[in-house]
Amino acid sequence: MFSFGDDEKRRFWTRVEQGPNGCWIWVGGKRGNGYGQFAIKTSEGRWTQTTSHRWAYASCGNEIPSGWEVDHLCKVRSCVRPDHLEAVTVAENRRRRDLGHPLECDRTIRPLPEIPSKPEPPAKRDRTIECRNGHLFAIVGKVRNGANSFTCAKCLSDWQAKRRTGTRHGTESHCPAGHEYSEDNTYVRVRPNGSRSRECRSCIRKRNRERKAQTRH
């Protein structure tokens, strides 16, 4: 299954030039037999190779039945103009090859398809007035982070709030086990470095009971 997004179209048509007899000549990479090759990404995200004329024919909504080949009516192997191509069975393709003469096709000069423009890159943020997440320092403020650097006060606050929640710290009102942080059920542990953390007394009592039961056995 081919992909026909703007990126694929841009990569493809930048490798095509106007040629003689109305042909659109592939000037990208070619196989040893003269057919152009084009890299595409599958639905699984893996890169693979196909022939350039096959992609060009399918890009116009033309169906290629399983096992069929795409024949050049103009007999120019590097041509990728869709109306110079036709899906045929392998046997029919070999029969036409053995005839040894060109088939009828439109040879008027036609302009190449328009190449989709490349999207403009996002504007770079001015790190002196806003952080990487778009918070304006004039509104949320800055917090010193080391001797010569600052960090966004809003981002720091969000990060600290995230640390206070989850499987380790629970929520603002309950511990991870679901016990409420009431006045009687809250223990504030003060560490030697002066940092303080909130713990659930019910969980502490349960943990102590389990330790005593282990020592008895």
Side-chain angles (χ1 to χ4, degrees):
M1 182 64 69
F2 298 143
S3 174
F4 305 111
D6 285 346
D7 179 62
E8 285 79 14
K9 292 178 180 178
R10 185 166 48 250
R11 289 192 300 107
F12 186 90
W13 293 114
T14 53
R15 295 170 171 83
V16 179
E17 294 181 356
Q18 191 70 254
N21 296 323
C23 290
W24 296 349
I25 303 300
W26 176 260
V27 295
K30 296 179 182 178
R31 297 178 178 177
N33 55 12
Y35 292 111
Q37 62 181 10
F38 183 57
I40 58 173
K41 186 176 287 188
T42 64
S43 57
E44 293 81 15
R46 297 193 301 269
W47 286 94
T48 186
Q49 295 282 344
T50 187
T51 52
S52 57
H53 67 283
R54 193 177 183 90
W55 186 95
Y57 184 75
S59 70
C60 295
N62 297 313
E63 182 181 357
I64 306 175
S66 178
W68 285 32
E69 296 179 346
V70 177
D71 181 34
H72 285 87
L73 302 178
C74 59
K75 298 304 178 184
V76 180
R77 291 188 174 186
S78 58
C79 178
V80 294
R81 177 169 163 174
D83 57 353
H84 281 201
L85 307 170
E86 183 182 9
V88 295
T89 63
V90 176
E92 174 62 16
N93 201 8
R94 301 297 180 270
R95 187 189 72 83
R96 293 180 178 184
R97 179 195 62 188
D98 295 338
L99 289 176
H101 62 82
L103 301 174
E104 291 296 328
C105 64
D106 186 356
R107 296 181 181 277
T108 57
I109 301 298
R110 291 189 181 178
L112 294 173
E114 293 185 5
I115 300 174
S117 58
K118 212 167 187 178
E120 292 291 333
K124 292 186 177 180
R125 299 186 185 277
D126 187 349
R127 292 301 177 84
T128 62
I129 61 174
E130 61 179 334
C131 73
R132 66 180 63 184
N133 294 318
H135 302 134
L136 296 175
F137 295 136
I139 298 176
V140 301
K142 294 191 292 187
V143 178
R144 184 174 290 279
N145 181 22
N148 299 314
S149 63
F150 294 86
T151 190
C152 172
K154 180 68 170 64
C155 292
L156 179 62
S157 176
D158 292 345
W159 176 76
Q160 290 174 339
K162 187 176 181 180
R163 288 197 63 191
R164 290 194 296 269
T165 62
T167 58
R168 180 179 178 185
H169 297 280
T171 64
E172 291 290 337
S173 59
H174 291 75
C175 76
H179 304 129
E180 184 181 4
Y181 280 126
S182 62
E183 185 177 352
D184 296 333
N185 192 45
T186 303
Y187 172 71
V188 179
R189 185 183 299 277
V190 182
R191 292 181 172 79
N193 60 0
S195 62
R196 301 160 68 90
S197 64
R198 182 178 57 170
E199 296 185 20
C200 170
R201 289 186 182 273
S202 297
C203 291
I204 294 175
R205 287 194 292 267
K206 179 182 178 181
R207 190 164 58 245
N208 290 339
R209 287 195 299 268
E210 292 175 350
R211 287 176 180 174
K212 288 180 180 180
Q214 291 177 355
T215 56
R216 290 172 185 172
H217 298 287

